């Protein structure tokens, strides 16, 4: 079954790497990613900037050139970035802005409303939030009013699921990623989100699974295939993310 890998990281020490909360990630270049996914039918994907990469764009542009036009980038930027730089990144394959609330390294959440609207109006990017869903009520009204938002890693916590589902009902998308890092019932979360909005879930490997208790393995894909019929699994593994990143 074809997969659009909606969330993975490339870690190239030829470019700046910033220690984050005492953690430095391992090297994980494009060749490593291709080796780890050789048995999966990866038809495209989204390279996501991590907290340890700050606002560096050079590594991302290099990786996008290596992987080709079916892949795109999700980057972190300061709100002081110029429109010209945003357009330049868009023209080179970047398709989303990330706010890393959980780990830092990105622009502050106080800039979410204005910055998310700015990149959407300028180049059509959505914004992605790495946040524990139990924190969502504090910003729910802001998120609901924004044109395009997704939440990483199933919202991370069981406590956050009810808050996440309320936003899914409003059109918020959710990354079905990081099954080995979340503190929730993955099966229940997947089924609940799909029930509310079949277009919401977007699968990703989360490779190389930095700081996760358990790294990605092929059983994560098999779980989706077991829980859903073929049409629904294809939406989660491929169609939803392809539409979100390239056809919206």
């Amino acid at each position: 079954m074809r997969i659009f890998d909606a969330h993975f990281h490339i870690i190239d020490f030829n470019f700046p790497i910033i220690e984050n909360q005492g953690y430095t990630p391992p090297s994980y270049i494009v060749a490593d990613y291709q080796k780890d996914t050789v048995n999966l039918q990866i038809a495209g994907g989204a390279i996501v900037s991590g907290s340890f990469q700050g606002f560096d764009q050079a590594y991302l542009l290099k990786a996008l050139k290596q992987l080709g036009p079916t892949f795109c980038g999700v980057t972190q930027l300061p709100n002081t970035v110029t429109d010209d730089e945003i357009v330049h990144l868009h023209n080179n394959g970047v398709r989303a802005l990330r706010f890393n609330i959980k780990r830092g390294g990105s622009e502050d959440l106080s800039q979410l409303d204005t910055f998310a609207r700015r990149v959407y109006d300028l180049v059509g990017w959505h914004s992605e939030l790495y946040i524990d869903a139990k924190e969502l009520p504090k910003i729910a009204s802001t998120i609901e009013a924004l044109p395009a938002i997704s939440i990483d890693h199933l919202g991370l916590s069981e406590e956050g699921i009810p808050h996440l589902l309320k936003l899914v009902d409003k059109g918020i998308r959710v990354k079905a990623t990081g099954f080995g890092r979340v503190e929730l019932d993955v099966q229940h979360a997947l089924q609940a989100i799909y029930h509310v909005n079949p277009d919401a879930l977007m699968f990703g490997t989360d490779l190389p699974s930095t700081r996760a208790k358990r790294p990605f393995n092929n059983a994560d894909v098999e779980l989706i295939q077991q829980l859903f019929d073929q049409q629904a699994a294809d939406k989660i593994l491929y169609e939803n993310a392809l539409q979100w990143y390239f056809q919206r």
Side-chain angles (χ1 to χ4, degrees):
M1 182 170 284
R2 58 187 178 172
I3 293 173
F4 186 98
D5 187 353
H7 193 106
F8 67 96
H9 303 281
I10 297 298
I11 304 163
D12 187 339
F13 277 78
N14 288 315
F15 301 93
I17 298 292
I18 306 164
E19 181 184 284
N20 179 266
Q21 300 175 356
Y23 176 81
T24 301
S27 173
Y28 194 76
I29 60 175
V30 167
D32 297 319
Y33 173 75
Q34 292 172 326
K35 179 181 178 182
D36 285 347
T37 57
V38 68
N39 294 321
L40 299 175
Q41 293 184 350
I42 302 293
I47 309 168
V48 178
S49 288
S51 58
F52 39 79
Q53 287 158 322
F55 298 134
D56 176 58
Q57 309 301 320
Y59 94 91
L60 183 57
L61 297 182
K62 175 188 174 183
L64 288 171
K65 286 182 180 179
Q66 290 177 296
L67 285 164
T70 61
F71 288 80
C72 63
V74 178
T75 197
Q76 298 168 160
L77 291 168
N79 69 347
T80 54
V81 66
T82 66
D83 285 358
D84 286 346
E85 177 63 13
I86 295 170
V87 171
H88 170 72
L89 292 171
H90 181 80
N91 290 340
N92 283 276
V94 179
R95 289 294 180 270
L97 175 67
R98 192 184 199 208
F99 290 81
N100 192 327
I101 313 309
K102 177 72 173 178
R103 301 289 185 188
S106 69
E107 183 53 86
D108 188 76
L109 189 59
S110 64
Q111 302 297 323
L112 173 63
D113 185 62
T114 56
F115 205 4
R117 292 180 189 279
R118 180 184 168 203
V119 297
Y120 182 86
D121 291 343
L122 184 62
V123 287
W125 291 0
H126 68 271
S127 292
E128 305 192 358
L129 305 184
Y130 183 15
I131 186 172
D132 190 318
K134 67 185 179 184
E135 305 294 332
L136 287 173
K138 301 175 184 177
I139 56 171
S141 60
T142 297
I143 292 176
E144 288 177 17
L146 289 172
I149 296 289
S150 69
I151 306 293
D152 289 348
H153 306 318
L154 297 172
L156 292 174
S157 72
E158 193 71 40
E159 184 182 347
I161 290 295
H163 308 302
L164 183 65
L165 292 176
K166 289 178 182 178
L167 290 172
V168 169
D169 191 45
K170 303 287 186 179
I172 302 306
R173 305 299 181 98
V174 179
K175 297 280 193 78
T177 55
F179 297 174
R181 71 169 71 248
V182 299
E183 299 288 343
L184 50 77
D185 182 331
V186 172
Q187 177 175 328
H188 173 261
L190 291 170
Q191 292 173 319
I193 294 166
Y194 187 85
H195 178 73
V196 173
N197 181 0
D199 296 330
L201 285 169
M202 304 180 293
F203 177 78
T205 62
D206 191 35
L207 284 168
S209 306
T210 56
R211 287 188 270 204
K213 291 175 293 184
R214 173 186 66 76
F216 165 79
N217 62 54
N218 290 0
D220 295 338
V221 177
E222 293 165 5
L223 175 63
I224 291 171
Q225 294 172 318
Q226 292 163 5
L227 290 177
F228 300 95
D229 63 32
Q230 185 172 347
Q231 182 178 3
D234 190 55
K235 286 178 68 66
I236 296 166
L237 292 169
Y238 181 76
E239 290 181 9
N240 287 347
L242 179 68
Q243 184 273 338
W244 186 239
Y245 283 101
F246 282 107
Q247 300 173 5
R248 189 167 43 78

